[in-house]
Amino acid sequence: MEFEITNRPRFFFAECARIPHGSKNEKELSDYIVAFAKEHGLKYKQDDMYNVIVYKDGSKGYEDAGSLILQAHIDMVCEKNKDCDHDFEKDPLKLYVEDGILRAKGTTLGADDCTGVAYMLAILEDDSLAHPPLECIFTVQEEIGLLGAMNLKAEDIHSHRMISLDGGGETTTMLSSAGGCQCNLTKKLTMEENSAPTYALHITGLSGGHSGGEIHKEKGNANQLAIRVVKEAVLKGAQIQLVSYDGGLKDNAIPREADVVFASVTPKEELQAYFESSAKDISTELEFSDAGFTLKFEETAMAPYKAIQKDSDDLMDYAYLMPNGFQHRSMAIEGLTLTSLNLGVVTTKNDQVELIISVRSAIESGIDNLVNILSVLAKRLGFDMETSARYPGWNYNEISPMRDIYKAAVKKLYDKDLEMVAGHGGCECGVFCSLVPDMDIISLGPVSAHVHTPDEELDLESFDRTYKLLCTVVSAAK
């Protein structure tokens, strides 16, 4: 069923879906927002990274009210199924509706965070809505380390209160978020000629998900599981030398698929038995958390080159030994993941392999400790390591007038109490708090699921209701 455009937020969501906007490819959508601001006579600022701030004066009766930030990021995670030929650089997303749920065919939907972008454009366009002075901030490169937000200048921000539209749950708001960084590890492999049979191991069927919001669910990480299976065969006596190791697309998405190509003189029947034994164990372990796990083993064309034994062993040992996934939970906030890391991407190009790891913690020392562990292991096994995209966390504030307004709106519209949760995902709220230390922030957004995967979905009824909720909160922010 086609996506029916029944209101302005839906219209603007469809416009976002029409324009490619993966991280580092946001210029066209950024320029669209600038053109929108010009068309509506609104002041704006577009920086060199293509962040855009659109300013709108307060409506009648709100002239003396404090200004309010509405904020969302315009980039999306570009994940697709292997059999999908979508080109994220130029193709529009193919939207469709099934049982009231909006999805994109074979790809991520980009509801994270074009729901927020659509809401902001609709509010900026609506001259009938009562509101305080607005600063609508559209940021870029959020999904690869909050880079756009960290390029903002404090002098361009005049408000001390903010609605982050990168949250979800409709009647749920976030209270905090983790800080984190990205670790990039590289190793140059010494290659030698190969005359041994060559095999490929494929991990598929895993559900993946956001490496912050879903890391505590014990989902399988395809990158680590692929190496675990191979390493267990080595520990049982198999002789294996890696040819290539690839898996995952984004550091902040739990990888769903991975491939290992290797050369071995061990008989195929022995390898098959080793791998089947490991696959059986893993399936049992993931029975209730990621039941779709599948392992495929096959012989392939003989590779002309393979990594020398030492380099092959070092690479296997790093991926096998490094900590990964859920690490610590908060003892202060029930259900909050405190510290985690995710081996999100592994790529082999010619004779160089790269591992990209996302590290998160609500405590700065938690980040430092994991980075140190990864670094020590890297030095032992011959990897070079760099850290980048370090971003701050957003700490819980017990006193929040904006949260009180949100509570009242939820009670009025839903006759429910606002649900408040602390989150482990990284978000731009921490960056805004570093720019304006006394910033009062709430997060608001519709119900969605399976973000950062091709199964991403948006509840359309929630999308429509949440816009009304947002307008109620904005109008009450006098």
Side-chain angles (χ1 to χ4, degrees):
M1 178 178 174
E2 290 188 0
F3 178 36
E4 189 176 1
I5 308 301
T6 56
N7 54 45
R8 296 308 282 173
R10 289 193 181 198
F11 169 80
F12 288 118
F13 189 97
E15 287 290 279
C16 290
R18 179 181 60 82
I19 302 170
H21 56 279
S23 302
K24 294 190 176 182
N25 187 37
E26 304 101 333
K27 183 180 186 301
E28 186 177 354
L29 183 52
S30 176
D31 289 345
Y32 173 89
I33 295 166
V34 167
F36 169 93
K38 290 178 179 178
E39 180 184 349
H40 292 82
L42 300 171
K43 296 179 182 178
Y44 71 90
K45 179 174 182 178
Q46 183 184 44
D47 68 16
D48 57 352
M49 286 187 71
Y50 303 113
N51 293 306
V52 181
I53 304 177
V54 181
Y55 304 93
K56 187 175 184 180
D57 294 337
S59 56
K60 186 176 181 180
Y62 288 77
E63 295 89 351
D64 297 326
S67 60
L68 174 66
I69 293 171
L70 303 181
Q71 188 270 327
H73 63 87
I74 68 174
D75 62 319
M76 65 175 283
V77 167
C78 297
E79 281 259 17
K80 64 180 181 179
N81 293 322
K82 277 193 171 182
D83 59 354
C84 177
D85 62 359
H86 183 88
D87 185 344
F88 282 106
E89 293 293 315
K90 62 181 181 181
D91 294 340
L93 299 174
K94 298 176 181 177
L95 305 182
Y96 71 98
V97 178
E98 190 174 64
D99 298 327
I101 300 298
L102 181 65
R103 298 183 176 91
K105 292 182 179 179
T107 70
T108 38
L109 173 64
D112 176 16
D113 185 25
C114 277
T115 56
V117 175
Y119 287 163
M120 291 161 67
L121 292 172
I123 283 177
L124 286 169
E125 184 185 65
D126 186 358
D127 290 331
S128 69
L129 178 68
H131 60 81
L134 297 176
E135 300 176 7
C136 290
I137 304 179
F138 303 83
T139 54
V140 299
Q141 298 185 36
E142 188 270 352
E143 298 290 7
I144 55 174
L146 318 182
L147 302 182
M150 289 194 285
N151 195 57
L152 296 172
K153 305 294 187 290
E155 57 263 30
D156 294 324
I157 298 172
H158 309 102
S159 181
H160 291 259
R161 52 187 187 159
M162 170 177 149
I163 302 176
S164 166
L165 297 170
D166 194 17
E170 192 171 344
T171 57
T172 300
T173 192
M174 298 295 296
L175 298 174
S176 66
S177 66
C181 72
Q182 179 177 297
C183 296
N184 288 65
L185 294 104
T186 57
K187 183 176 178 67
K188 191 172 181 63
L189 304 173
T190 300
M191 308 298 285
E192 63 183 11
E193 290 186 358
N194 175 52
S195 59
T198 304
Y199 303 95
L201 190 75
H202 309 285
I203 302 294
T204 60
L206 296 170
S207 56
H210 193 290
S211 68
E214 299 194 277
I215 201 72
H216 64 291
K217 295 182 179 180
E218 302 292 344
K219 292 171 175 276
N221 180 305
N223 290 336
Q224 274 218 318
L225 290 175
I227 286 297
R228 171 182 165 180
V229 170
V230 173
K231 184 64 180 179
E232 287 180 347
V234 170
L235 292 172
K236 292 173 182 176
Q239 188 279 326
I240 287 175
Q241 288 177 258
L242 298 181
V243 173
S244 63
Y245 172 31
D246 298 276
L249 296 175
K250 300 291 178 182
D251 71 296
N252 58 0
I254 302 169
R256 300 175 297 114
E257 300 178 348
D259 304 298
V260 175
V261 178
F262 63 91
S264 177
V265 294
T266 301
K268 182 179 180 181
E269 295 74 17
E270 288 186 30
L271 294 171
Q272 182 83 43
Y274 294 148
F275 296 153
E276 288 179 355
S277 176
S278 292
K280 182 179 179 181
D281 290 341
I282 292 169
S283 294
T284 300
E285 294 166 16
L286 298 179
E287 180 181 3
F288 301 106
S289 60
D290 220 340
F293 167 79
T294 301
L295 183 150
K296 181 182 178 182
F297 169 59
E298 61 182 350
E299 188 168 0
T300 66
M302 183 181 294
Y305 297 98
K306 61 188 176 185
I308 63 172
Q309 193 68 61
K310 183 181 185 306
D311 285 358
S312 178
D313 290 344
D314 286 348
L315 174 53
M316 280 190 281
D317 287 352
Y318 194 94
Y320 184 67
L321 293 172
M322 65 164 280
N324 185 73
F326 175 90
Q327 299 293 302
H328 302 290
R329 66 184 177 92
S330 171
M331 300 303 292
I333 302 176
E334 184 69 27
L336 174 63
T337 299
L338 193 67
T339 306
S340 75
L341 71 170
N342 177 58
L343 177 56
V345 183
V346 180
T347 53
T348 305
K349 293 183 179 178
N350 298 321
D351 61 350
Q352 180 161 296
V353 65
E354 180 180 28
L355 283 65
I356 304 178
I357 302 164
S358 174
V359 175
R360 302 176 190 266
S361 182
I363 301 174
E364 290 296 308
S365 61
I367 300 171
D368 294 336
N369 183 53
L370 283 178
V371 169
N372 288 339
I373 291 171
L374 294 173
S375 178
V376 169
L377 190 59
K379 289 177 182 177
R380 291 292 183 98
L381 295 172
F383 282 79
D384 294 321
M385 176 172 148
E386 293 182 354
T387 60
S388 62
R390 181 109 184 207
Y391 56 91
W394 163 35
N395 292 324
Y396 169 66
N397 190 344
E398 185 177 1
I399 299 172
S400 170
M402 284 301 300
R403 196 160 62 238
D404 293 339
I405 291 172
Y406 194 178
K407 287 180 183 177
V410 169
K411 194 69 175 176
K412 175 183 176 181
L413 296 177
Y414 298 86
D415 194 25
K416 292 175 61 176
D417 292 328
L418 177 65
E419 183 180 354
M420 294 173 284
V421 297
H424 184 58
C427 74
E428 293 158 306
C429 296
V431 179
F432 283 93
C433 286
S434 69
L435 292 169
V436 183
D438 64 344
M439 186 75 78
D440 180 12
I441 303 178
I442 59 172
S443 70
L444 189 156
V447 174
S448 61
H450 311 304
V451 296
H452 297 183
T453 79
D455 297 321
E456 183 181 3
E457 60 184 45
L458 173 65
D459 184 317
L460 284 175
E461 289 188 1
S462 177
F463 179 64
D464 295 341
R465 287 194 306 265
T466 302
Y467 181 66
K468 181 179 179 181
L469 172 62
L470 173 62
C471 290
T472 301
V473 172
V474 168
S475 294
K478 287 191 173 182

